[in-house]
Amino acid sequence: MISIGLIGATGKWGKVYAKTIKNHFPNVKLIPAGRDSWKNLSVDGVIISTPPSSHIEIAKRFLDKRIPVLIEKPLALSLKEAEELIPYDAPILVNHIHLFSKAYQKMKKEIGQIDLIASFGCGPGPVRDYSSLIDYGCHDISMILDLAGKFPNKASVSEDKTKKGSLFTLQLEFDDFTTISVVGNGSNTKQRVLMVSDDGESHSYSEADNIDNPPLIDTISVFLDTIEGKKDYRLGLDLSLKVMKVLDICQKQISANK
């Protein structure tokens, strides 16, 4: 039996992790840990589902002991913080959850030469103590970079304030195609959809595609495989640091425009 520590077990996503593990992974011994008890965990792996301002501090504590960590998105609130994990060679898995969706992976296999990517990741909240560009945008950026397989030549962003919050229009320019995304908590309705055009064809992925196959099951499955020494292309910091770098560029643009 694999022992997994769950830090942040009483939070919204912590409860989702706990329920998913209870219902789908009978071989896992789940050990919830609170704010005062997590430092004493002795486990095979750790899930970090706390506010992102604490992710790096907690992750480093376990990585120092070579204990694999699964970190809920966003990895951190700044690129500088995220880069603190670079020296570690223990397994790190960041839960950019749509990359673990069977529907997304099916769409990915169907895509040829990309002409255009458009995405919408919006909702009415929740209100965080950090920008909804980070909260919402990391999903869209992670999928776009995963599909592109490379870093954009240019990233630009604009912000529109609404009664609900903010909507950010993000544009990434690659050598042979451009992407446009609208993300943030300034929408009246929740929606997440990504559309790809290639060679005259169109492909789409929607969060609604996951109703029968919640991607968190696959995230946890990959993490358990990681603990047992198996490899996965979503493992490691490479993509997550690129996501943070795009967000860093955009946040600096927004600050400069205020």
Side-chain angles (χ1 to χ4, degrees), residues 180-193:
I180 186 165
S181 304
V182 179
V183 300
N185 64 355
S187 173
N188 290 321
T189 57
K190 183 179 179 180
Q191 61 173 329
R192 181 165 301 283
V193 61

Side-chain angles (χ1 to χ4, degrees), residues 5 7 10 19 33 94 104 106 116 154 157 245 253:
I7 306 174
T10 59
K19 182 178 179 180
V94 181
Y104 167 80
K106 180 178 181 294
L116 174 69
K154 182 180 179 181
V157 66
K245 185 175 181 180
Q253 287 181 19

Side-chain angles (χ1 to χ4, degrees), residues 98-129:
H98 298 287
L99 302 187
F100 298 89
S101 162
K102 286 183 170 61
Y104 167 80
Q105 290 295 334
K106 180 178 181 294
M107 180 201 70
K108 181 181 175 180
K109 291 178 181 178
E110 298 171 349
I111 295 173
Q113 183 66 40
I114 298 173
D115 298 320
L116 174 69
I117 299 178
S119 69
F120 300 88
C122 312
V127 176
R128 309 284 193 189
D129 59 358

Side-chain angles (χ1 to χ4, degrees), residues 16 31 43 74 156 161 216 227-228 246 258:
V16 175
I31 305 173
V43 290
S156 57
K161 298 282 190 178
L216 186 59
I227 292 172
E228 296 180 344
V246 171
K258 286 185 178 180

Side-chain angles (χ1 to χ4, degrees), residues 64-128:
D64 278 333
K65 302 176 184 179
R66 296 195 54 78
I67 296 174
V69 296
L70 165 57
I71 306 174
E72 182 54 38
K73 71 83 191 170
L75 171 60
L77 294 181
S78 72
L79 176 61
K80 184 178 180 180
E81 285 181 326
E83 289 176 337
E84 292 181 28
L85 299 186
I86 292 176
Y88 295 93
D89 59 1
I92 301 170
L93 187 67
V94 181
N95 188 22
H96 293 296
I97 195 165
H98 298 287
L99 302 187
F100 298 89
S101 162
K102 286 183 170 61
Y104 167 80
Q105 290 295 334
K106 180 178 181 294
M107 180 201 70
K108 181 181 175 180
K109 291 178 181 178
E110 298 171 349
I111 295 173
Q113 183 66 40
I114 298 173
D115 298 320
L116 174 69
I117 299 178
S119 69
F120 300 88
C122 312
V127 176
R128 309 284 193 189

